[in-house]
Amino acid sequence: MKIETITLRRIRLPLVHFFETSFGRTYERQILLVELHSEGVSGWGEITCGEKPFYNEEWTDSAWLIVRDYVAPRVLGAALGAPEDLAPLTAHIRGHRMARGGVETAAWDLAARQAGIPLWKRIGGGARAEIPCGVSIGIQDSVEQLIGKIQAELDAGYQRIKIKIKPGWDIDVVRRVRERFPSIKLMADANSAYTLADIGHLKRLDDFYLMMIEQPLAHDDIIDHAVLQARLETPICLDECIRSAHHAEQAIRLRACRILNIKLGRVGGFREAKRVHDAARAAGIPVWCGGMLESGIGRAHNIALATLDNFVLPGDVSASRRYWTRDIIAPPVEVTPRGTIVTRDRPGFGYEIDMDYLKSITVCEETLG
Ligand code: OSB
Ligand code: MG
């Protein structure tokens, strides 16, 4: 396939409820969507960075510039034998994997549509027809509110609950949640809010038999996580610091984690996500699919990813209605009472795009090439 044009769209989507992590609150997403065109077929991707460079170094504005000035010139006109061939075209760009990944994932969707097959099949997935779902619940104004939210998600069928923690909102919160819900699958995500000086404090979490603690230490650290993991009974899951299969291999070799969260954007798309998945599988490390408050397009890509065989743990991929009053895809992503999302058998990412709604929330648009 030859990429003829790339259309970038910036959309604004207000969240149903603010989402708070240790690095701040988000009320509204500003998302870049990527549409690749080739021989009359479109492939769609989503750039999953935040509005501010707080999760990683990228943000919505930087992603626009990276795609326009550095990715598009390499990709436009390039003849790709397969979607695997796209990532190497942008490998000379340091970092900015979410910007690069938004274009890369669009190429996979395009290839799937050209072949008339579902994206999950095109990436080599399909190990399961229903993916197990968990939810990520942000920091709330009170523990009572948090407990109310957890109850609502359990009632909806979700298989595991992840809560966000930070200094001042951690041990006592986890204790009260555990007392109220003694037998649920529960985990905590610190988004890099602690240091090794907090070992004694973090060790107290071992009392609550959490499934895992996600990214307790620095966003760019692996070695301190290995030190911490040796001292904790609770498994560590790495998120922020795993940006490539190389990082995954290093973390595994150092025993810095027992579980990996894979995010398509963070690692730069399907090609690298599959490599991380394979490295983890070879080492007996289970993985799950993380989320970045995606619109329906990024969400549908996550669903495809989670059909690879080593995605054995419930991920942060959940129903559209938890995020948006109206999603940009139809039908919206729905979750069964069993806490699963059923994959679809349609070409590409498997949902229709609601173009009328998409147009109405588009802030700016540019076609390159
Ligand atoms: O660390 O997993 C994270 C959202 C934004 C940035 C980082 C993270 C998250 C989530 C939300 O946990 C997952 C989701 O529901 O999409
Ligand atoms: Mg995380």
Side-chain angles (χ1 to χ4, degrees):
M1 61 190 175
K2 191 170 144 199
I3 310 299
E4 292 148 12
T5 61
I6 303 175
T7 301
L8 273 178
R9 288 183 181 83
R10 181 184 184 124
I11 60 166
R12 290 177 59 167
L13 268 182
L15 285 160
V16 169
H17 185 267
F18 68 78
F19 190 81
E20 182 173 333
T21 64
S22 62
F23 53 81
R25 262 188 197 186
T26 307
Y27 291 86
E28 179 194 80
R29 295 295 335 276
Q30 300 233 6
I31 296 171
L32 296 190
L33 299 174
V34 179
E35 183 182 2
L36 302 181
H37 309 265
S38 175
E39 293 159 18
V41 181
S42 285
W44 289 78
E46 174 166 339
I47 296 178
T48 63
C49 61
E51 294 69 37
K52 297 177 179 158
F54 298 163
Y55 167 81
N56 66 5
E57 81 285 358
E58 302 186 74
W59 74 102
T60 315
D61 295 315
S62 72
W64 183 286
L65 298 179
I66 289 288
V67 173
R68 188 191 70 188
D69 296 345
Y70 296 98
V71 177
R74 289 291 182 111
V75 169
L76 285 168
L80 304 175
E84 283 90 343
D85 300 340
L86 196 138
L89 295 179
T90 69
H92 63 297
I93 302 169
R94 292 273 165 87
H96 300 283
R97 287 174 184 266
M98 290 175 163
R100 291 152 57 196
V103 178
E104 203 258 10
T105 52
W108 286 88
D109 181 52
L110 177 62
R113 286 171 194 270
Q114 285 181 337
I117 60 172
L119 178 60
W120 56 260
K121 194 172 268 180
R122 187 63 188 78
I123 64 166
R128 59 193 66 80
E130 283 183 39
I131 64 157
C133 304
V135 289
S136 173
I137 304 180
I139 293 165
Q140 305 295 317
D141 289 328
S142 70
V143 178
E144 295 72 44
Q145 247 180 340
L146 176 63
I147 285 176
K149 294 223 149 187
I150 293 173
Q151 187 62 61
E153 304 297 9
L154 293 169
D155 291 344
Y158 286 102
Q159 298 185 13
R160 76 99 169 95
I161 302 290
K162 159 169 145 185
I163 63 173
K164 295 283 187 178
I165 56 169
K166 65 176 182 182
W169 178 272
D170 50 19
I171 311 295
D172 289 335
V173 176
V174 174
R175 173 179 298 111
R176 286 177 63 189
V177 169
R178 212 16 140 194
E179 277 167 8
R180 177 70 182 71
F181 304 104
S183 62
I184 62 169
K185 285 184 181 159
L186 181 66
M187 60 175 288
D189 185 358
N191 288 108
S192 305
Y194 300 91
T195 71
L196 263 193
D198 301 311
I199 282 196
H201 186 70
L202 292 170
K203 184 113 187 81
R204 294 167 64 196
L205 289 173
D206 277 346
D207 289 345
F208 309 113
Y209 48 97
L210 300 176
M211 284 179 89
M212 66 195 93
I213 175 171
E214 184 177 345
Q215 195 73 33
L217 308 180
H219 70 97
D220 54 357
D221 166 79
I222 291 177
I223 293 173
D224 284 358
H225 280 103
V227 174
L228 179 63
Q229 182 66 91
R231 296 276 303 277
L232 286 188
E233 276 162 44
T234 307
I236 291 176
C237 169
L238 294 177
D239 173 356
E240 278 89 330
C241 63
I242 306 298
R243 292 158 169 252
S244 65
H246 182 63
H247 291 154
E249 281 157 10
Q250 291 184 321
I252 291 165
R253 205 185 329 153
L254 291 173
R255 300 184 203 281
C257 64
R258 296 191 203 132
I259 298 171
L260 283 177
N261 154 335
I262 301 182
K263 289 180 181 171
L264 273 172
R266 193 190 70 222
V267 303
F270 280 111
R271 176 183 158 122
E272 198 64 19
K274 279 154 55 76
R275 295 182 68 226
V276 174
H277 165 274
D278 293 352
R281 186 180 51 193
I285 300 274
V287 305
W288 52 275
C289 183
M292 289 296 295
L293 312 176
E294 286 91 345
S295 81
I297 293 176
R299 198 165 297 281
H301 281 83
N302 288 342
I303 294 167
L305 180 69
T307 72
L308 294 174
D309 59 2
N310 195 33
F311 280 84
V312 291
L313 297 172
D316 281 347
V317 186
S318 55
S320 299
R321 70 158 64 90
R322 295 190 59 248
Y323 305 85
W324 327 113
T325 42
R326 181 170 171 187
D327 204 339
I328 61 170
I329 57 165
V333 173
E334 280 172 348
V335 166
T336 68
R338 302 179 290 287
T340 63
I341 293 170
V342 179
T343 59
R344 288 162 64 89
D345 264 321
R346 294 159 181 252
F349 68 73
Y351 297 77
E352 299 300 321
I353 296 172
D354 183 344
M355 283 308 286
D356 291 336
Y357 183 51
L358 183 61
K359 277 185 193 140
S360 74
I361 57 169
T362 297
V363 183
C364 49
E365 176 177 336
E366 186 173 353
T367 294
L368 309 160

